[in-house]
Amino acid sequence: MESLDDSALSLAVFVPLVVAAAMLLVPRENETAHKLMALGATLATFAVGMLILARFDYGASDQLQFRVDAPWIDVINSRYLLGVDGISLPLLVLSMFVCVLVVVYSWNHFPEPHNPKAFLILILVLETGMNGTFVAQDLILFFVFFEVVLLPMYFMIGVWGGEQRQYAAIKFFLFTLFGSALMILSFLALYFSGGQTFSIQELVAVAADNIPRSTQLIIFGGLFMGFAIKVPMFPFHTWLPDAHTQAPTQGSVILAAILLKLGTYGFIRIAIPILPEAAMAWAPVIGGLAVVGIIYGALGCLAQSDMKRLIAFSSVAHMGFVMLGIATLTDFGINAAVFGMVAHGLITGMLFFVAGSVKDRFHTLELSRLGGLLLQAPRMGWILGFCAMASLGLPGLAGFWGEFPAILAAYSPAEGLSEALFRTYMVIAALGTVLAAGYLLWMLQRAAFGTPKPEFAEAPIADMHWPEYVAWVPMLVLILVLGIFPGLLFGLTDGAVGNALSSFGAGG
Amino acid sequence: METLFRSPSVDFHAFAPEIVLVLVLVVLLFVDLVFEERGRWATSTVAGIGLLASLVPVLTLAVAGGDRSLFDGAYVVDDFALVLKGLFLVAGYVTVLISTDYVAEGDYYEGEYYFLLLSSLLGMTVMASARDLISIFVALELLSIPAYLLAGWRKRDLRGNEASLKYYLLGVFASAVMLYGMSLVFGVTGSTVLSEIGDALAGGSSTVPVVTVGIVFVVVGFGFKVSAVPFHTWAPDTYQGAPTPITAFLSVASKAAGFVALLQLVFIAFLGQDDVWAPLFWVLAALTMTVGNLIALRQTNIVRLLAYSSVAQAGFMLAPLAVAASIPAERGGIANATEAVVTYLIIYAAMNLGAFAVVMAVARKTRSGEIGSYGGLFDYAPGLAVLMAVFLFALAGIPPLGGWYAKFVVFKSLLDAGTGAAVALAVVAAVNSVIALFYYASVARQMFMDPVPDGDTTRVQVPAALTASLALCAVATVAFGFFPNLAARLGDVALFGALP
């Protein structure tokens, strides 16, 4: 087991990539082989994830575990440093979990122009990038994994997407690349001013003392751009509705469930612990943009006529709650943020799955043309209802534990932040939850209630297929379980969050 | 009794790579002479094996270690020279691979083609060791004159004639300007050996206008060679008109040779005069990457697009030169900048040669260089489309493909310098890498997202030699991305022997 511990994280990152490389050699016509290989790869990765869960020392969740430390680029003193703690573990396992389900869902849901070989290879490459980002403990390694997801997502949207796919794909690519160009400059600035190291842990230890406040503010600004575009925060969110609407279902699910979390994770893992003073100075701005995002996203939802676009805007609002939790810079708020990331991943991922299946059957997501889903496909209709309830933050489901504590945390932000300001944010955010209930129930009402519109009244609408059952049930169960036993996740993240905030001294 | 003339003692080991190349040249002529038309295929084989053979002494010299200085310091074999010789020879080998079928299928003179190609390479290997104004000039002419001929190899093609003529006229003009600059430098310092010029110019007394003019002329001369804006105007026409393998060769090996000469001249001879060349390089770098990228956005022909992209890439390579003098000694000083340029050159060679190899493979079917003809390539030639995407996105600098590390070392060098001008250049470079992505991605869009323009989806037959070159470049591009150490180590050791 010892040797397995050493290689567990490397396996979690590279198994999908190795299988993807092997799939290149199998001819395109042999679709079953491709499906089985992709499923095998994601399952094997997930099994590694389970093993990590089983062998993780929960008493020391604030420590990096399963550490790997090997030379990588000697010339710039960048190392192959991997490790998981209580913050990265849930996100890593979420990523593995969603990838399995996406492959299962794909079984008979390959969007045009079909080509399962290329599609599945892209999913596997994405998984490598996502898993790698969550376990990388070296800035350059983090940067590389952070960028690995760009190309597969670009191709997934651009090749398998909807009508406006080319526009959406390049918009996604250019926005994120612009952010990461500034991010890498900030990483380099950290390296030069923070003691010639790229190791995140070492930087946390030394950077705060070595870097003057004015420089911290500028570096944080660069990191902020890189991560905020990925989250995405208002006003950098404009790529998201296009990317989500045009992406194939699987792409939307991965984008919503995991890719957006790379940005928020970057804040918690890198920007805040390394540059606490700058984080303190930037927090009011971040909190302000977060609540603007909450309200703007909600209003945006109310203006949408397309179900997928509506869910995309709801992501902007939900990620606003996550960012508000982060902006409080408190233990409580960041725990809520990590919970919100996992919950949003599960719930919005599910919503996109359902939207994809609805589109499969009706060939439209125009809310004005939909209706009566509960009559024509009752099981799917109920699942849509369940997810909408979870998404609007109904207590007892996972969504609640992401939103409510984040709002609560804004009541008493970290020492040094203006209470009056954050309490204003709190009130606005609370209003946002009301709007969220509004748009989600409105969507549910228009899509699921009533009677089918005449054009689909006679159409044979199939209820759920087996791949949908297999892919969805685990997610639904998890939404319920985390809603009833939030301690499962809070217990895991709490220690690590405290550690991330340790550089605040009294503030933590 | 003492003789007046002492023949210099020659270290034949130090010369071995060049000697092997000369022997191969002789064999090539012989093969061309003896074999009938049917046997001409042998020439490419001889050229390829000969290049690999000349790599052997480079390796033995590297293993033996130590700097070797010949002819009173005019010819130096140090780690810098060895790394660059290796790069030239490997790039030359890939050029031979991609030329094999192209030249054999066209109505070309095979023997002469490889003879000239290897002559040019011989000039490059000499250039890597040349530490004297005269040997630099001889090396430059030795590598340029065969290249002028090769550019016009398709002699019945109007574009080919234009390519050759433009290249020749501007090249000769640049040589003349450079020679004039060199003569001014010699006039002031009284020496042609770079290290002696460096000593003479380091003493502040020599900051006379003549030296400034001399340095500017020399830099401008090499500005043509590396196609820096505004001296780039020959490149797109020459690249488009020349045979595609030669275009690849010019854009990689010939450009690298220009940079090698610049590094040697600037960092050894003109080191003390950085207030002359640093601003000059700053402007050249910023202009080259910006103008190259902006014009590339509008190209409809793939070779012209790659031509402008290679202009823009040269801008990135010029950037470390602009800030070299401000990099503090504890962060490596000019060694830091040398490392950045050499690392960039190595990675750039792999990805750019690869892109041209795909262009050649696709042209075998489409007989066209228009970007529109790449529509739907993924449907009928998925392998080529994926490889092209790998090379293009590597050129754009997207991790985990090799190009990211090349860009990274340049950024690192700029931030190492840390001056306002250096940071400004870093921001210009960052904006440029986003612009560049747009045109690289537009080719990918054609290949993956657009339909086949003429509906002809017959498979593309890729001959063995071309496949080998594609595999070599692809493996190198991906490996440099995952294990940047491979290139970084070479860049790290590639330092001038004379430097502290």
Side-chain angles (χ1 to χ4, degrees):
Chain A
M1 285 310 254
E2 281 303 310
S3 63
L4 210 59
D5 280 359
D6 289 340
S7 52
L9 289 183
S10 300
L11 284 175
V13 175
F14 290 108
V15 164
L17 191 66
V18 170
V19 178
M23 283 168 69
L24 282 175
L25 305 175
V26 181
R28 195 195 285 195
E29 291 72 28
N30 198 346
E31 293 183 4
T32 321
H34 286 295
K35 291 176 186 172
L36 287 174
M37 284 172 88
L39 184 65
T42 50
L43 277 177
T45 316
F46 187 62
V48 175
M50 290 296 106
L51 183 91
I52 295 175
L53 269 184
R55 308 223 354 121
F56 191 79
D57 178 0
Y58 293 89
S61 67
D62 58 331
Q63 297 300 319
L64 285 180
Q65 302 182 25
F66 300 91
R67 272 177 60 102
V68 182
D69 184 356
W72 185 41
I73 318 177
D74 306 329
V75 178
I76 56 167
N77 196 15
S78 170
R79 301 182 65 77
Y80 178 72
L81 268 178
L82 304 181
V84 281
D85 63 1
I87 297 174
S88 18
L89 184 60
L91 294 167
L92 174 68
V93 175
L94 176 73
S95 159
M96 296 164 159
F97 177 70
V98 169
C99 286
V100 177
L101 303 186
V102 164
V103 171
V104 171
Y105 180 83
S106 300
W107 218 259
N108 60 357
H109 285 98
F110 283 104
E112 283 305 312
H114 204 59
N115 199 347
K117 173 179 176 178
F119 194 77
L120 292 169
I121 287 178
L122 291 184
I123 292 180
L124 293 182
V125 176
L126 269 173
E127 184 172 8
T128 289
M130 298 183 301
N131 292 356
T133 310
F134 290 133
V135 298
Q137 302 296 337
D138 176 282
L139 288 180
I140 298 304
L141 197 61
F142 176 92
F143 170 75
V144 170
F145 283 127
F146 194 82
E147 301 289 283
V148 165
V149 299
L150 285 185
L151 276 180
M153 197 37 102
Y154 167 74
F155 282 112
M156 195 175 270
I157 298 173
V159 177
W160 285 271
E163 300 268 299
Q164 303 281 317
R165 57 181 184 272
Q166 298 194 356
Y167 168 75
I170 193 73
K171 192 171 177 185
F172 159 79
F173 207 156
L174 288 176
F175 261 74
T176 3
L177 192 75
F178 180 71
S180 37
L182 292 175
M183 187 175 86
I184 189 71
L185 288 181
S186 299
F187 283 178
L188 278 166
L190 279 176
Y191 174 78
F192 292 127
S193 43
Q196 310 276 315
T197 174
F198 283 113
S199 154
I200 294 176
Q201 276 192 308
E202 283 173 38
L203 279 170
V204 170
V206 300
D209 304 326
N210 286 358
I211 310 179
R213 187 183 148 85
S214 55
T215 317
Q216 276 205 26
L217 287 178
I218 298 172
I219 299 178
F220 195 95
L223 295 177
F224 174 80
M225 286 298 287
F227 296 140
I229 288 175
K230 199 85 170 183
V231 170
M233 291 185 75
F234 179 88
F236 311 112
H237 65 281
T238 56
W239 62 269
L240 182 80
D242 288 312
H244 262 323
T245 318
Q246 300 305 324
T249 306
Q250 293 88 332
S252 294
V253 172
I254 293 180
L255 198 57
I258 308 156
L259 283 200
L260 305 188
K261 277 70 198 177
L262 300 185
T264 40
Y265 175 78
F267 275 108
I268 300 179
R269 168 70 60 206
I270 295 170
I272 292 174
I274 296 183
L275 300 168
E277 266 186 76
M280 206 56 125
W282 276 78
V285 180
I286 297 177
L289 290 177
V291 290
V292 172
I294 293 174
I295 299 299
Y296 180 90
L299 293 178
C301 283
L302 287 171
Q304 298 311 314
S305 57
D306 180 285
M307 189 165 148
K308 223 172 160 186
R309 224 175 149 82
L310 188 151
I311 305 172
F313 270 99
S314 85
S315 274
V316 177
H318 280 116
M319 294 313 277
F321 284 105
V322 173
M323 288 311 300
L324 179 64
I326 292 175
T328 65
L329 298 178
T330 56
D331 210 41
F332 195 52
I334 292 184
N335 272 311
V338 179
F339 202 106
M341 283 153 76
V342 175
H344 174 261
L346 292 170
I347 296 167
T348 309
M350 261 315 296
L351 279 171
F352 276 117
F353 265 142
V354 177
S357 289
V358 168
K359 171 118 193 205
D360 245 21
R361 289 161 175 80
F362 294 90
H363 303 288
T364 180
L365 284 170
E366 281 295 314
L367 285 167
S368 56
R369 293 174 62 193
L370 295 174
L373 187 65
L374 278 170
L375 289 178
Q376 284 181 309
R379 294 197 184 90
M380 201 182 290
W382 281 115
I383 290 178
L384 181 64
F386 179 87
C387 298
M389 294 301 153
S391 183
L392 64 83
L394 196 72
L397 298 175
F400 176 75
W401 299 106
E403 283 183 16
F404 180 68
I407 299 173
L408 210 56
Y411 184 77
S412 57
E415 217 170 304
L417 294 175
S418 156
E419 279 199 358
L421 184 67
F422 272 83
R423 285 184 189 170
T424 318
Y425 290 165
M426 181 185 85
V427 174
I428 303 175
L431 282 176
T433 60
V434 179
L435 289 175
Y439 62 75
L440 284 162
L441 292 175
W442 180 67
M443 176 194 81
L444 184 63
Q445 199 180 351
R446 306 233 303 188
F449 295 170
T451 50
K453 295 287 181 306
E455 60 174 320
F456 297 116
E458 301 305 318
I461 300 294
D463 211 338
M464 290 169 59
H465 304 305
W466 69 263
E468 290 167 347
Y469 277 114
V470 181
W472 296 357
V473 169
M475 283 179 101
L476 298 172
V477 170
L478 216 54
I479 292 174
L480 193 62
V481 169
L482 285 180
I484 299 172
F485 304 108
L488 288 177
L489 193 50
F490 281 132
L492 182 60
T493 58
D494 194 35
V497 169
N499 194 36
L501 288 172
S502 61
S503 37
F504 284 89
Chain B
M1 193 180 133
E2 206 174 306
T3 50
L4 286 172
F5 180 78
R6 286 181 297 113
S7 96
S9 68
V10 176
D11 177 354
F12 284 100
H13 193 191
F15 259 137
E18 285 78 8
I19 294 172
V20 174
L21 268 181
V22 171
L23 289 178
V24 176
L25 283 172
V26 174
V27 174
L28 265 175
L29 277 185
F30 180 76
V31 168
D32 192 44
L33 208 63
V34 171
F35 283 96
E36 294 297 313
E37 201 59 48
R38 282 172 290 112
R40 291 283 158 79
W41 58 269
T43 49
S44 72
T45 315
V46 171
I49 294 173
L51 282 174
L52 291 181
S54 56
L55 265 176
V56 174
V58 173
L59 292 176
T60 58
L61 281 166
V63 171
D67 300 332
R68 295 154 194 267
S69 175
L70 290 81
F71 312 123
D72 298 326
Y75 195 92
V76 175
V77 180
D78 52 12
D79 289 336
F80 176 83
L82 288 177
V83 169
L84 268 307
K85 281 177 203 221
L87 174 66
F88 290 135
L89 292 173
V90 173
Y93 180 68
V94 174
T95 311
V96 169
L97 282 182
I98 59 178
S99 303
T100 305
D101 295 271
Y102 187 89
V103 179
E105 286 164 15
D107 188 14
Y108 300 120
Y109 306 91
E110 287 188 66
E112 289 87 338
Y113 179 94
Y114 294 110
F115 179 80
L116 288 172
L117 186 67
L118 264 64
S119 307
S120 187
L121 276 166
L122 178 62
M124 293 174 187
T125 53
V126 172
M127 180 68 95
S129 287
R131 303 292 153 81
D132 171 282
L133 292 181
I134 295 173
S135 48
I136 285 180
F137 186 73
V138 169
L140 181 73
E141 295 305 300
L142 182 52
L143 75 90
S144 297
I145 293 171
Y148 302 145
L149 291 170
L150 287 169
W153 203 244
R154 295 190 296 193
K155 65 177 182 183
R156 287 180 188 82
D157 181 71
L158 267 182
R159 282 186 191 283
N161 294 340
E162 184 190 350
S164 184
L165 196 63
K166 265 194 178 159
Y167 189 31
Y168 172 70
L169 287 177
L170 284 173
V172 171
F173 177 63
S175 294
V177 171
M178 185 189 328
L179 209 50
Y180 185 51
M182 284 179 173
S183 69
L184 291 179
V185 172
F186 171 69
V188 173
T189 59
S191 171
T192 58
V193 180
L194 297 188
S195 55
E196 288 170 18
I197 296 175
D199 293 340
L201 292 183
S205 64
S206 54
T207 48
V208 282
V210 179
V211 174
T212 308
V213 174
I215 292 175
V216 171
F217 277 14
V218 170
V219 171
V220 165
F222 281 104
F224 278 96
K225 205 74 221 164
V226 303
S227 61
V229 177
F231 316 113
H232 67 290
T233 44
W234 59 273
D237 294 326
T238 303
Y239 283 7
Q240 193 180 3
T244 320
I246 294 307
T247 307
F249 180 70
L250 291 179
S251 74
V252 171
S254 176
K255 183 172 292 212
F259 272 101
V260 168
L262 270 182
L263 287 172
Q264 292 172 160
L265 282 163
V266 169
F267 289 162
I268 300 178
F270 305 153
L271 189 56
Q273 302 283 321
D274 58 285
D275 49 341
V276 176
W277 50 260
L280 189 60
F281 280 121
W282 197 100
V283 174
L284 282 181
L287 266 183
T288 304
M289 59 177 93
T290 312
V291 173
N293 271 332
L294 290 180
I295 304 183
L297 283 175
R298 300 189 49 81
Q299 299 309 312
T300 55
N301 179 291
I302 187 79
V303 178
R304 287 186 84 84
L305 180 123
L306 287 173
Y308 280 107
S309 114
S310 84
V311 169
Q313 301 273 348
F316 276 90
M317 296 182 233
L318 284 167
L321 284 161
V323 301
S326 357
I327 301 175
E330 73 268 19
R331 290 182 186 166
I334 53 167
N336 180 320
T338 315
E339 181 191 330
V341 176
V342 173
T343 310
Y344 205 114
L345 282 171
I346 293 170
I347 299 177
Y348 167 78
M351 46 197 194
N352 215 43
L353 284 173
F356 275 107
V358 180
V359 169
M360 294 187 54
V362 174
R364 294 174 67 83
K365 172 189 171 271
T366 62
R367 300 282 155 212
S368 160
E370 292 306 302
I371 295 174
S373 70
Y374 280 71
L377 186 68
F378 182 61
D379 290 337
Y380 61 89
L384 285 176
V386 169
L387 282 175
M388 189 61 160
V390 165
F391 295 128
L392 290 177
F393 285 113
L395 283 165
I398 308 291
L401 305 165
W404 79 266
Y405 188 73
K407 293 237 159 58
F408 178 85
V409 284
V410 168
F411 281 127
K412 178 169 174 292
S413 207
L414 290 173
L415 292 191
D416 260 324
T419 57
V423 175
L425 195 55
V427 173
V428 172
V431 171
N432 266 297
S433 47
V434 180
I435 300 176
L437 172 75
F438 192 81
Y439 59 80
Y440 292 125
S442 76
V443 180
R445 196 194 67 209
Q446 289 284 345
M447 295 188 297
F448 289 88
M449 302 171 201
D450 283 350
V452 188
D454 53 1
D456 176 10
T457 57
T458 44
R459 297 229 153 209
V460 181
Q461 297 297 327
V462 186
L466 201 51
T467 311
S469 66
L470 281 170
L472 259 175
C473 294
V475 168
T477 303
V478 175
F480 286 147
F482 279 95
F483 306 104
N485 235 4
L486 297 172
R489 284 288 296 280
L490 287 176
D492 194 30
V493 299
L495 299 179
F496 300 114
L499 292 175

